[in-house]
Amino acid sequence: GALLTRLIGDPPQDQWDMDSTHVYWNAHVDKANIPTYDYSALLYLNSLGEDFTGGGFEFIDDDANRVVEPRAGRLVTFTSGPENLHRVRKVASGTRYVLAMWFTCSEAHQYEDEDTTS
C-alpha cells in the first residue's frame, strides 16, 4: 500500500477530522496496524528547515532514540515489526510531505493487477 501524507503545523480543526483524540505523533509499529506489512518505506518530498519545522522521524530504541531528518529525495526503509517502534515528531510550522509505502512478503496478500487485457 501507499499513502501521500501531508502534515501541517498547527492545523485547523474541520469537518474532515475523523477522531479529534488521535494524534499522528504517537509511537507505533506498522505491523501492529496491518499485520501483513513486512517492510515500510518513506520517501520525503520536501525538507526540514526549508519547508517545515519539527516533523523529524524518530526510531524509539532501548539505548537511544534515533532521528532521521527529512530531506527531499531521502528514502528511509525498515522492517515493519516491533523492532522498529517509531513516530513522527509534531510538525511545528509549514507543511511536511511524504510518500509512505508498505510491502508484504505474503503471496496471499500480493497486489493483483485488475487489468486483464494483457
Side-chain angles (χ1 to χ4, degrees), residues 42-52 54-57 68-76 96-98:
L42 303 169
L43 177 61
Y44 292 100
L45 304 178
N46 61 353
S47 298
L48 173 69
E50 295 176 23
D51 305 297
F52 59 93
F57 184 79
V68 176
E69 288 193 5
R71 296 279 178 242
R74 178 172 280 169
L75 177 67
V76 179
R96 174 187 184 267
Y97 292 98
V98 173

Side-chain angles (χ1 to χ4, degrees), residues 1-3 37 39 41 99-104 111:
L3 177 68
Y37 289 168
Y39 295 94
L99 178 60
M101 298 162 278
W102 301 273
F103 303 91
T104 183
Y111 175 76

Side-chain angles (χ1 to χ4, degrees), residues 2-73:
L3 177 68
L4 178 63
T5 62
R6 178 185 68 178
L7 300 179
I8 302 171
D10 197 26
Q13 296 295 109
D14 61 25
Q15 74 273 13
W16 300 107
D17 291 328
M18 301 302 283
D19 179 359
S20 62
T21 62
H22 174 77
V23 292
Y24 63 81
W25 55 85
N26 284 335
H28 66 278
V29 170
D30 292 344
K31 198 169 190 70
N33 294 331
I34 305 291
T36 57
Y37 289 168
D38 294 309
Y39 295 94
S40 302
L42 303 169
L43 177 61
Y44 292 100
L45 304 178
N46 61 353
S47 298
L48 173 69
E50 295 176 23
D51 305 297
F52 59 93
T53 61
F57 184 79
E58 183 174 26
F59 287 104
I60 301 167
D61 295 318
D62 291 337
D63 61 336
N65 292 352
R66 291 162 176 84
V67 178
V68 176
E69 288 193 5
R71 296 279 178 242

